[in-house]
Amino acid sequence: MRLFLVPISTRRAFVYCRPSQAALKKSGYIDRITKKAAETWSTWERAEDGWKKKLVTYGQVVLQRIPYEEWGLKSIPPLNAQRQIEEESAEAKQRPVEVMFPRNAIKRDTVLSVLRTLGTERQDLHRRKMWWCLGIAPLTAPVAILPVIPNIPFFYLAYRGWSHWRAWSGSKHLIHLLDNNIAQPYASPELERFYATRLLRDKEQGKIKLEPGSTPEEPNGREHLLLETEDGKELGEILSAPGIAIEVERAVFQIKQRLEAEEQKSENGQAQNKKKES
């Protein structure tokens, strides 16, 4: 497998895993259930009206609100006993897991520390949320007696429980790679060329300060986005990982909302200070 560290703003990035072809062929029962659920959801998306169409519409809003960090960790496969043995073997250590990153958007000596932060900061949250969702899900059983409409609360809680489990498992696998020096940073020329055009655009707009051979700086001390929503598709093509496109779109959307909320809070604070002074 291969990891990608994708900077979205001058301060935030997410990790994405592209599994190997061998791993894709080895699908367990959970993966088969997930694939079946995805196919069912795709069928509902094609419905013209009715409860299926409404459910898909509301579901898309809910999925958009799931933190992008969680989606990134979910892309990393769970660490089972067999995989751990294979990764810790002498042969595997000679072929480390590559962490591809753009050297012109993030410093090489911070790559592993950023990965460790991504792997640890939400680990306990995913574990607690997983057990909470799985514990509450059975209590929704009475909803199943309603005719026609499926037990939506149960399926939602079951999905969120699985999602938190998958993110928790992915975070543990990521930390395992870091603790055993299996993950190694590799500067990607393709990623650097991709980010070069974005950095130049942001520099011309005055959003960032960029010196030759350095990573972007914030001229006004404020965090700025490095990517736009539409950049995800091109990035997916460059990395041969189409699934990363939606992850970029989601991350840009969520970070943009956070930055706008922080800016609004700052403006409100300044307005209140001016009123007190007057």
Side-chain angles (χ1 to χ4, degrees):
M1 67 180 184
R2 175 172 289 179
L3 299 176
F4 300 101
L5 185 60
V6 183
I8 299 297
S9 74
T10 51
R11 302 182 189 179
R12 311 185 207 209
F14 75 89
V15 61
Y16 184 83
C17 176
R18 188 182 70 190
S20 62
Q21 293 299 319
L24 290 174
K25 293 179 181 178
K26 296 179 181 179
S27 59
Y29 70 94
I30 292 181
D31 293 319
R32 289 194 292 270
I33 293 174
T34 304
K35 182 180 180 181
K36 180 62 177 178
E39 292 173 350
T40 302
W41 186 264
S42 179
T43 303
W44 289 1
E45 285 181 324
R46 292 192 291 271
E48 296 182 359
D49 52 20
W51 65 267
K52 292 181 180 180
K53 187 65 176 180
K54 292 181 179 178
L55 179 61
V56 168
T57 301
Y58 291 127
Q60 295 292 3
V61 175
V62 173
L63 293 176
Q64 190 74 349
R65 293 179 178 175
I66 296 177
Y68 69 91
E69 299 97 332
E70 180 176 331
W71 289 98
L73 291 173
K74 283 166 57 177
S75 69
I76 303 174
L79 179 65
N80 54 35
Q82 180 61 34
R83 188 187 299 275
Q84 183 171 344
I85 293 173
E86 292 174 355
E87 290 180 347
E88 291 179 352
S89 67
E91 182 181 353
K93 287 189 175 181
Q94 295 176 0
R95 296 180 287 102
V97 173
E98 298 178 340
V99 182
M100 313 303 291
F101 72 99
R103 190 168 43 188
N104 52 351
I106 186 170
K107 295 179 180 177
R108 181 186 182 89
D109 56 3
T110 65
V111 169
L112 296 183
S113 62
V114 170
L115 288 177
R116 187 170 293 276
T117 298
L118 291 171
T120 57
E121 65 180 354
R122 299 177 60 85
Q123 195 173 98
D124 186 58
L125 179 145
H126 289 308
R127 180 181 59 80
R128 288 186 287 103
K129 291 288 187 179
M130 174 193 70
W131 289 116
W132 186 88
C133 290
L134 296 180
I136 297 296
L139 302 180
T140 65
V143 181
I145 64 176
L146 297 176
V148 183
I149 300 177
N151 189 346
I152 302 303
F154 171 81
F155 288 116
Y156 171 75
L157 289 170
Y159 169 75
R160 291 301 289 133
W162 170 84
S163 182
H164 285 298
W165 169 78
R166 190 62 188 256
W168 179 44
S169 300
S171 67
K172 291 195 296 182
H173 191 176
L174 179 58
I175 296 304
H176 167 76
L177 295 176
L178 296 173
D179 287 344
N180 290 275
N181 297 319
I182 301 173
Q184 297 295 329
Y186 285 89
S188 167
E190 293 83 4
L191 276 175
E192 289 178 14
R193 285 193 292 269
F194 170 79
Y195 273 91
T197 58
R198 276 70 186 173
L199 294 173
L200 181 59
R201 174 196 61 195
D202 293 342
K203 178 183 178 182
E204 292 174 346
Q205 295 175 357
K207 295 180 179 179
I208 62 170
K209 180 180 178 182
L210 188 64
E211 299 294 338
S214 66
T215 53
E217 298 180 1
E218 303 160 350
N220 55 4
R222 290 186 179 181
E223 179 180 1
H224 290 286
L225 285 167
L226 299 177
L227 300 183
E228 299 292 342
T229 304
E230 58 272 15
D231 292 331
K233 184 177 180 180
E234 182 179 346
L235 184 61
E237 294 174 354
I238 292 173
L239 302 179
S240 300
I244 205 172
I246 187 63
E247 307 303 341
V248 170
E249 293 176 10
R250 184 181 292 111
V252 169
F253 173 78
Q254 292 181 4
I255 294 176
K256 183 179 293 186
Q257 282 194 322
R258 295 179 191 178
L259 295 180
E260 290 175 351
E262 291 172 3
E263 185 175 356
Q264 185 62 44
K265 183 178 179 180
S266 176
E267 291 177 356
N268 292 339
Q270 292 176 2
Q272 291 178 358
N273 290 334
K274 287 181 179 180
K275 287 183 179 180
K276 291 179 180 179
E277 293 175 357
S278 60

